[in-house]
Amino acid sequence: MPTPDLAVQVHDLHKTYPGGRGHDPVPALAGLGFAVERGTVYGLLGPNGAGKSTTVRILTTLSRADSGVARVAGLDVAVDPAAVRRRIGLVSQRPSSDPMATGRENLVLAGRLQGLTRTDATARAARLLDRFRLTDAADRLVRTWSGGMSRKLDVAIGLVHRPDVLFLDEPTTGLDPEARADMWAEIARLSVDDEMTVLLTTHYLDEADRLASRLAIVDRGRVRVEGSPEELKSELRGDTLQVELPDSDQAARACAVLAGVAGVTGPVADGAVVRARAESGARSIPALMAGLDAAGLSPVSASVSRPSLDDVYLQHVGRAHRSTERDEEVA
């Protein structure tokens, strides 16, 4: 049943894509479930192929689940997709604007498609152009805009009809640091000032940590762990040890060394890097370095840090997270 204080409810979603001639079917979702409170930013964090984009496509009525239940703004996406589309905004990975039209023309057209009168669409376009600091470029063709400006326009198009829930699928991929910071600030304002619910998919750990009040780490079509960034990090007691070796063979040998150091647990080799947990990193480092030296291993570097989302990811997924520039289409 719909819950009034939840903007998104997902329960036991399954989705499998055909594998094509001679290939096995490709499972995308395998019992995915989570819930998003109204007026919050919720993050789906995971690697390529985790199931993030498939989830967004189902929630925005662009695809259908094989089984399970998904509700947005209290509406079942499979039962009443037209009503859902009127309540949501979507900023997909691909640009949604017409590069051969101006920014203002793009926004007015988006407003008209959403049922606004020409007068209301024009006024709304002007307000959004001002909000995103795009007014000076409003009457230039979008193909002349920078990548950061174009991405802001995509978000503005998603907001033109004042949706209850905004879906942002990898919104900062490919942006330079300044444009990325601007986008982060705007996403935060959407939740705080507009009280809008935002569901954000990202493969950037720092983005999820900065923006999401709650997040789910997704891998192989399932939620592996869910909570606020601080809750998830605080569950990992002690410090994180990271040791970089010259190559993966030495890293595998170093794992065995770390496993024998008192107070060190869970060493995992990831390429040439070994990560482990320690009750006290400062106390463990001397014994660790002595053990590596006795084994004939020469580390490139060794560091101690407090738990991060990367450590949370490693703990629950079993491998370190790697940011990539684009999520896969079947993701």
Side-chain angles (χ1 to χ4, degrees):
M1 293 293 293
T3 303
D5 59 345
L6 295 179
V8 179
Q9 295 171 266
V10 176
H11 177 67
D12 198 27
L13 281 192
H14 290 257
K15 178 70 175 180
T16 300
Y17 292 99
R21 184 177 299 175
H23 297 280
D24 293 333
V26 180
L29 301 179
L32 189 92
F34 61 90
V36 182
E37 293 184 1
R38 294 184 185 277
T40 63
V41 178
Y42 189 93
L44 291 181
L45 176 65
N48 291 351
K52 306 188 303 298
S53 292
T54 292
T55 302
V56 169
R57 283 197 289 270
I58 291 170
L59 291 173
T60 56
T61 76
L62 298 177
S63 181
R64 291 182 67 92
D66 297 334
S67 62
V69 177
R71 292 188 176 90
V72 177
L75 301 166
D76 190 311
V77 300
V79 173
D80 200 352
V84 170
R85 286 193 287 271
R86 290 192 292 270
R87 305 285 292 276
I88 65 172
L90 170 63
V91 180
S92 65
Q93 293 181 32
R94 292 194 176 100
S96 57
S97 59
D98 178 359
M100 299 307 294
T102 69
R104 193 183 307 277
E105 289 168 342
N106 270 283
L107 282 167
V108 171
L109 175 61
R112 297 287 285 146
L113 291 173
Q114 291 290 348
L116 276 64
T117 66
R118 178 164 294 279
T119 299
D120 288 344
T122 301
R124 179 66 172 156
R127 284 193 291 271
L128 288 169
L129 288 165
D130 181 65
R131 174 174 183 166
F132 284 89
R133 299 187 298 281
L134 296 172
T135 300
D136 290 346
D139 298 308
R140 284 169 32 204
L141 298 182
V142 171
R143 67 180 178 85
T144 69
W145 289 18
S146 69
M149 293 167 64
S150 297
R151 201 59 176 148
K152 287 181 181 180
L153 180 62
D154 288 338
V155 177
I157 289 171
L159 294 172
V160 74
H161 58 302
R162 297 182 176 86
D164 294 331
V165 184
L166 179 66
F167 293 88
L168 299 176
D169 196 8
E170 305 286 352
T172 64
T173 296
L175 297 186
D176 62 53
E178 183 178 357
R180 194 165 172 236
D182 285 347
M183 186 65 73
W184 283 5
E186 188 54 47
I187 293 170
R189 280 194 292 270
L190 290 172
S191 173
V192 175
D193 296 343
D194 297 352
E195 299 182 348
M196 185 177 294
T197 305
V198 178
L199 191 146
L200 166 77
T201 76
T202 183
H203 52 252
Y204 294 125
L205 293 165
D206 56 345
E207 186 162 275
D209 202 355
R210 173 77 173 270
L211 296 176
S213 54
R214 291 185 68 81
L215 62 86
I217 293 177
V218 181
D219 186 55
R220 298 190 175 104
R222 291 180 178 272
V223 171
R224 300 300 178 181
V225 67
E226 183 183 18
S228 74
E230 289 308 312
E231 286 172 352
L232 296 177
K233 288 183 286 187
S234 67
E235 290 175 359
L236 299 180
R237 298 183 180 277
D239 298 320
T240 299
L241 296 177
Q242 179 171 302
V243 182
E244 182 180 357
L245 284 298
D247 54 52
S248 57
D249 290 338
Q250 290 196 44
R253 292 167 56 198
C255 259
V257 173
L258 266 68
V261 175
V264 175
T265 60
V268 175
D270 182 23
V273 175
V274 178
R275 294 180 178 86
R277 306 291 307 156
E279 296 173 5
S280 171
R283 288 199 297 267
S284 298
I285 281 288
L288 183 157
M289 298 303 289
L292 292 174
D293 185 61
L297 298 171
S298 300
V300 175
S301 65
S303 63
V304 178
S305 61
R306 298 301 298 163
S308 67
L309 277 186
D310 201 15
D311 300 313
V312 175
Y313 190 93
L314 179 65
Q315 176 79 11
H316 292 280
V317 178
R319 60 185 183 276
H321 181 74
R322 290 184 177 87
S323 289
T324 53
E325 278 302 299
R326 187 176 177 86
D327 214 2
E328 294 175 357
E329 288 307 308
V330 183

